Amino acid sequence: MSAPERPLRADARRNRESVLDAAGELFAQRGDAVQMDEIAERARLGVGTLYRHFADKQALLAAIIGRRFEAMTALARAADETEDPWTAFETLLHGYLEAAQADAAFRFALLGPEEPRWSDIAAEKTDFAEITERVVRRAADAGRLRADFSAQDFTLITRGAMANMTGTGDWRRYVTLLLDGIRHRPGS
Amino acid sequence: MSAPERPLRADARRNRESVLDAAGELFAQRGDAVQMDEIAERARLGVGTLYRHFADKQALLAAIIGRRFEAMTALARAADETEDPWTAFETLLHGYLEAAQADAAFRFALLGPEEPRWSDIAAEKTDFAEITERVVRRAADAGRLRADFSAQDFTLITRGAMANMTGTGDWRRYVTLLLDGIRHRPGS
DNA sequence: TAGGAACCGGAGTTCAGGTTCATCTTATGG
DNA sequence: CCATAAGATGAACCTGAACTCCGGTTCCTA
């Protein structure tokens, strides 16, 4: 399958890192609206160098989003290690949203019309889905989440929150509403 | 201020309508990704004619979104005429979302990063905000919505639902979760 | 029903931004 | 320390899509 794969030359490895760092920061701030030239400039490299390491803009973006999904997976794994099921769920939910808040590229990717491409890529490379599934199930089984709550519902509410991160909306308030429900119940 | 404003020539008026219809339909399907040439073709007109009636693509899009906001306002007004406060609220919420579901341009506009430009335009030209405010307040005062529910919360949940209309998410399920809350309450 | 203002059409222009490639530079193994 | 393959560079190129422009057409009024 794969060729002998001689390791990258030292400068190449360094430059690759620079590109990833620069792109990560810029994409996080402004999504895919950033231009390749900007990334090159911030990385103090020529555009050509970006293209030596990544086939095109999409590939670079994919690398960045992949990174984020890895971080999310670590987060989920950590949450899953919490013993209390509800705390585990809340930790995951808040950690996920906090991270999403800091990363516009991630949000746009998951909210944009090209989904579900990204989730599929994430599923191939990480266990995020499985771990989330487990965390959700634990909370539901423990009777702390409505019994029919599923991992898909996690995606649903997560998308909703992210949609309220651009502009003036207060997404924390939104999460509160979701957790409690907006309809008044005389009992309880 | 305004010039004598001779009325449009018959063909011009007709063509303007064609443009609006074509653009409305295409924008609704695919958001602002549609090209001016496509709109012209569907309207059976030259591109030049589009530009005679609308300064640029943004202006055309604004006209379309304005139309939608007018429809939304009519909807809100109708809901406000329902006597039961909860029914009024539900009618507005579902009507709004059903309409949003059918109009990608509207969704993208409200979810995109250029918000709150659109809401401001809407506020200038329609009473949507005021009427919604009233409907929400009525439901809250009647004790059918959590007491601290505000018109901003309407925007919040509405955005969340629209974010789940692209792709595979089931936004009706999402609304259910919001209305009921996802946390299990032993009491009630 | 003629004159002319208003309007239309769509090939061509412009421009922004992604991508290439001929040439120069540098790391590395011997 | 050299030879050389790997890597870097950025001006030039290409593409696609918004927009312009002017010769031809149509409506309207007197």
Side-chain angles (χ1 to χ4, degrees):
Chain A
M1 195 82 196
S2 53
E5 281 299 319
R6 158 190 320 252
L8 283 180
R9 230 169 66 174
D11 56 344
R13 189 165 47 254
R14 215 176 325 136
N15 287 341
R16 186 173 217 282
E17 260 342 279
S18 294
V19 172
L20 247 11
D21 288 350
E25 200 146 339
L26 290 176
F27 280 147
Q29 281 171 192
R30 318 207 319 267
D32 66 2
V34 305
Q35 293 164 221
M36 293 303 264
D37 290 13
E38 290 184 81
I39 297 173
E41 189 180 14
R42 168 178 274 246
R44 292 164 170 279
L45 295 169
V47 242
T49 306
L50 304 211
Y51 285 94
R52 165 165 290 273
H53 292 284
F54 301 94
D56 53 24
K57 198 182 182 182
Q58 276 308 304
L60 179 50
L61 187 58
I64 297 296
I65 307 241
R67 260 190 171 184
R68 174 100 284 140
F69 261 112
E70 275 159 31
M72 290 299 195
T73 306
L75 190 79
R77 196 162 276 132
D80 192 28
E81 261 143 33
T82 318
E83 54 272 61
D84 179 59
W86 177 255
T87 308
F89 176 77
E90 261 200 324
T91 303
L92 174 53
L93 182 60
H94 283 118
Y96 185 98
L97 293 180
E98 220 67 61
Q101 151 127 297
D103 190 340
F106 180 75
R107 294 203 308 272
F108 293 159
L110 290 198
L111 292 177
E114 322 78 48
E115 257 279 288
R117 192 173 141 249
W118 298 112
S119 311
D120 288 349
I121 291 175
E124 274 170 37
K125 311 212 161 187
T126 77
D127 300 322
F128 183 76
E130 289 76 9
I131 303 176
T132 300
E133 173 89 43
R134 192 159 59 236
V135 171
V136 163
R137 184 124 51 205
R138 274 175 59 208
D141 287 351
R144 307 292 251 97
L145 271 179
R146 51 187 294 163
D148 65 348
F149 194 88
S150 73
Q152 265 125 31
D153 292 333
F154 184 86
T155 302
L156 236 38
I157 67 185
T158 252
R159 284 246 274 259
M162 291 194 295
N164 282 118
M165 285 180 185
T166 3
T168 52
D170 172 1
W171 65 270
R172 286 161 216 277
R173 162 79 174 166
Y174 163 89
V175 172
T176 304
L177 292 181
L178 254 172
L179 291 180
D180 295 349
I182 61 181
R183 179 191 260 142
H184 178 68
R185 286 195 208 54
S188 167
Chain B
M1 197 80 193
S2 53
E5 282 299 319
R6 158 191 316 257
L8 284 180
R9 228 169 68 174
D11 55 346
R13 187 166 49 253
R14 215 175 327 137
N15 287 340
R16 185 172 218 282
E17 258 346 275
S18 294
V19 172
L20 246 14
D21 288 349
E25 201 147 338
L26 289 176
F27 280 147
Q29 280 171 195
R30 317 207 319 267
D32 65 1
V34 305
Q35 294 164 219
M36 293 302 264
D37 290 14
E38 290 184 81
I39 297 173
E41 190 180 13
R42 168 177 276 243
R44 290 161 173 281
L45 295 169
V47 242
T49 306
L50 303 211
Y51 286 95
R52 162 163 295 271
H53 291 286
F54 301 94
D56 53 24
K57 197 183 182 181
Q58 276 307 306
L60 178 51
L61 187 58
I64 297 297
I65 305 239
R67 262 191 169 183
R68 174 100 283 142
F69 262 112
E70 274 160 32
M72 290 300 194
T73 306
L75 191 79
R77 196 163 276 130
D80 192 27
E81 261 144 32
T82 320
E83 53 272 61
D84 179 59
W86 177 255
T87 309
F89 176 78
E90 261 201 323
T91 303
L92 174 53
L93 182 61
H94 282 120
Y96 185 98
L97 293 180
E98 220 66 62
Q101 151 126 298
D103 189 340
F106 180 76
R107 293 202 309 271
F108 293 160
L110 290 197
L111 291 177
E114 323 79 47
E115 257 281 286
R117 193 173 140 249
W118 299 111
S119 310
D120 288 350
I121 292 175
E124 273 170 38
K125 311 212 161 186
T126 77
D127 299 322
F128 182 77
E130 290 75 10
I131 302 175
T132 300
E133 172 90 43
R134 192 158 60 236
V135 171
V136 163
R137 183 126 50 208
R138 274 176 58 207
D141 287 350
R144 307 293 251 98
L145 270 179
R146 50 187 295 162
D148 65 347
F149 194 88
S150 74
Q152 265 124 31
D153 293 333
F154 184 86
T155 302
L156 236 38
I157 67 185
T158 251
R159 285 245 275 257
M162 291 193 296
N164 282 117
M165 285 178 184
T166 2
T168 52
D170 172 1
W171 66 269
R172 285 160 216 276
R173 161 79 174 165
Y174 162 91
V175 173
T176 305
L177 292 181
L178 254 172
L179 291 181
D180 295 349
I182 63 181
R183 179 191 261 142
H184 178 67
R185 287 195 209 53
S188 167

